[in-house]
DNA sequence: GCGGTAATACTCGGATAAGTCTTGTCCGAGTCCTTATGG
DNA sequence: CCATAAGGACTCGGACAAGACTTATCCGAGTATTACCGC
């Protein structure tokens, strides 16, 4: 019962990509360097997000990754689902059907009470994460960053972004 | 990002234990038989719940497990935390501190925006599961069970419960 | 000088191992009941 | 016949393997650049 660190990495990556100007891209290795992460493993998460349509990859020299859609349309849940998978945490194995006093098929029209409770809780979880979108994250991070650091980040992005077009 | 099946097993186990009359107990093997589960692995979950103070174990002949406190005071979150552990799903590794543009210690007084969002979502998740307590589960299961099955369950409990005192 | 082409350097993408956690299993510790024995 | 104590059977508890998933890594596929060659 834990979320892989790939989700955290991917969220920070998307927050960084949201800073890029229109059309610009950042290579996977550059992203890993900026965030102080292992390039090879981050690449795996970037692939997952690429498949999910969160980021758009561009191959070749001066290629890299950029957001595939407006930052406003990317939530923390989108990232989590892309990297970690969207399957429910709780998996009902229909225990009520088994055993000497197991329920008949006719009694199982409605979902199991226990599974239903977990499903409701998870629904709230997804909803809460869906509410948080990239611009909010970016602005909150910016609010807590010192001006000197902001300037360094801006400079680094300008130096490392592949300005395609 | 998934919850172990031990949580589901434990929840059904507690729902069954809630049916026992005061002072009665059910052996781990009997519980496993009723639910159609593997006795050895269910025993592991029962140990965890025993350590967490959800069930009370009694050794020896005609021993077994019973709820350690009123069913009203046992929630699905209690069971989940006992079996799965109460640690947060999302673990912040302070990515913002790393890399060439890492934040200084002074900028990290407040929690990371990403970690804060996940923490909020998880708080809601815990809250939702804490709301669901055993009597509610039991009544919902009873509402969906056919009368014949209810009688069989009552009979089985009477036959297999160790009526200590 | 200019256009076309082939080589090249750089990037992503999927397939492939190592580590850690969940899942599954076993045997020893502890407790109560039963039974035998002596008074 | 009753009290007591020893033995046995049954139960939980923690320590011990097997499998699955996360984590980590590599090399091949693809593309834009660039250099070179012919015209």
């Amino acid at each position: 019962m834990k979320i892989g660190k790939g989700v955290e990495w991917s969220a920070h990556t998307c927050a960084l990509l949201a800073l890029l100007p229109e059309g610009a891209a950042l290579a996977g290795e550059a992203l890993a360097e900026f965030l102080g992460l292992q390039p090879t493993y981050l690449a795996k998460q970037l692939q997952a997000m690429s498949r999910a349509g969160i980021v758009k990859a561009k191959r070749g020299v001066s290629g890299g990754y950029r957001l595939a859609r407006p930052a406003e349309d990317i939530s923390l849940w989108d990232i989590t689902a892309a990297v970690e998978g969207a399957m429910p945490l709780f998996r009902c194995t229909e225990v009520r059907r088994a055993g000497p006093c197991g329920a008949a098929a006719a009694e199982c029209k409605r979902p199991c009470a226990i599974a239903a409770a977990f499903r409701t809780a998870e629904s709230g979880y997804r909803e809460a994460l869906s509410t948080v979108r990239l611009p909010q994250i970016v602005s909150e991070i910016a609010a807590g960053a010192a001006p000197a650091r902001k300037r360094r980040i801006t400079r680094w992005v300008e130096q490392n972004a592949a300005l395609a077009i």
Side-chain angles (χ1 to χ4, degrees), chain A:
Chain A
M1 187 184 181
K2 62 185 176 64
I3 291 181
K5 64 174 65 169
V7 172
E8 183 189 13
W9 293 13
S10 300
H12 281 277
T13 301
C14 287
L16 176 57
L17 289 177
L19 298 178
L20 289 180
E22 185 72 20
L26 271 173
E29 193 153 1
L31 287 165
E33 184 203 345
F34 182 92
L35 297 170
L37 306 175
Q38 305 180 19
T40 56
Y41 189 40
L42 180 62
K44 195 173 184 61
Q45 319 305 332
L46 286 166
Q47 287 174 33
M49 286 200 290
S50 177
R51 277 192 294 268
I54 293 177
V55 300
K56 185 88 176 174
K58 185 183 162 190
R59 282 184 163 177
V61 177
S62 74
Y65 293 96
R66 61 182 174 81
L67 294 181
R69 55 181 192 257
E72 181 62 37
D73 296 341
I74 299 175
S75 71
L76 278 186
W77 171 250
D78 294 330
I79 297 171
T80 303
V83 173
E84 200 77 10
M87 72 181 60
L89 281 72
F90 184 89
R91 297 157 295 169
C92 181
T93 60
E94 288 291 338
V95 170
R96 57 181 172 175
R97 298 288 301 274
C101 297
E107 298 175 86
C108 298
K109 296 287 176 61
R110 293 187 180 181
C112 169
I114 294 170
F118 275 94
R119 186 173 302 209
T120 301
E122 288 180 33
S123 176
Y125 184 74
R126 283 196 302 273
E127 192 63 33
L129 288 183
S130 299
T131 305
V132 183
R133 298 199 185 81
L134 278 188
Q136 177 180 345
I137 296 286
V138 171
S139 64
E140 286 182 20
I141 292 178
R149 184 174 171 229
K150 287 190 199 174
R151 281 195 299 272
R152 276 197 303 170
I153 292 175
T154 303
R155 191 170 159 189
W156 185 93
V157 169
E158 287 175 356
Q159 289 183 344
N160 290 85
L163 291 169
I165 299 175

